[in-house]
Amino acid sequence: ELTGDTPIAFRSTAAPYWQLDKWTALYHSPSPDPTAKDVAFTFQGTDTIIAHFTQEPFAFYVPNAFTPNNDGKNDIFLPVGSAYDPASYELWIFNRWGDLVFHSTNPEEGWNGSYQNSEYYVEDQVFVYKLKIRSVHEANEKEYSGHITIYR
């Protein structure tokens, strides 16, 4: 049994894609506060200490336009997200005739507006994207699709 005025330190270490939510105890309060990664409890008797964790939410943002004009602003089309499995990532971009203009399985590789990574660049117009991705918290991949507009 731990008693006295000496605080005992606890540290939370979350698994990847998880985050600390709070600490709870039956009879004692954590210091400095229940949401801190590092806390201390000063026991006056037996207690149960629990660190509660929540999943990092799966989220993805896909821009609907970009401006590949080499001005250093918004030159690359690149979906961004959190809590996804990079090994499941696959992106296709098609022109209005259904021709594939870009394909990647690398979530860090964006599209610069070139036609199939060549020295030729597509005209300003609307393109269709298809994105396949899987949350790290689920077994099944999901597919998303939408439109991208290029403005120069």
Side-chain angles (χ1 to χ4, degrees):
E1 183 174 308
L2 300 171
T3 61
D5 294 329
T6 304
I8 298 177
F10 292 83
R11 170 173 281 177
S12 69
T13 304
Y17 308 109
W18 289 82
Q19 47 200 333
L20 176 70
D21 182 34
K22 64 184 175 185
W23 292 91
T24 59
L26 296 175
Y27 306 111
H28 297 87
S29 297
S31 177
D33 69 75
T35 61
K37 179 180 174 181
D38 294 310
V39 296
F41 287 87
T42 303
F43 295 99
Q44 299 302 320
T46 303
D47 205 343
T48 300
I49 309 298
I50 301 172
H52 300 266
F53 295 90
T54 57
Q55 292 179 347
E56 179 182 331
F58 169 74
F60 235 84
Y61 171 72
V62 181
N64 61 5
F66 76 114
T67 59
N69 57 8
N70 289 324
D71 67 355
K73 299 176 186 171
N74 206 23
D75 288 332
I76 302 290
F77 171 80
L78 182 64
V80 293
S82 60
Y84 68 91
D85 176 7
S88 72
Y89 179 94
E90 193 158 11
L91 174 67
W92 299 266
I93 298 176
F94 303 92
N95 65 17
R96 62 184 166 193
W97 299 282
D99 298 326
L100 180 67
V101 297
F102 180 78
H103 174 256
S104 179
T105 57
N106 180 351
E108 297 178 16
E109 176 186 20
W111 180 43
N112 66 0
S114 66
Y115 183 81
Q116 297 182 351
N117 291 324
S118 71
E119 59 194 49
Y120 300 104
Y121 289 84
V122 299
E123 296 179 15
D124 291 7
Q125 59 183 289
V126 177
F127 294 84
V128 174
Y129 74 84
K130 182 173 133 182
L131 173 66
K132 184 175 70 169
I133 195 79
R134 183 181 70 79
S135 164
V136 295
H137 305 296
E138 297 179 12
N140 297 326
E141 292 178 336
K142 294 183 180 183
E143 288 189 8
Y144 301 91
S145 62
H147 297 89
I148 311 157
T149 304
I150 289 184
Y151 298 102
R152 286 193 176 80

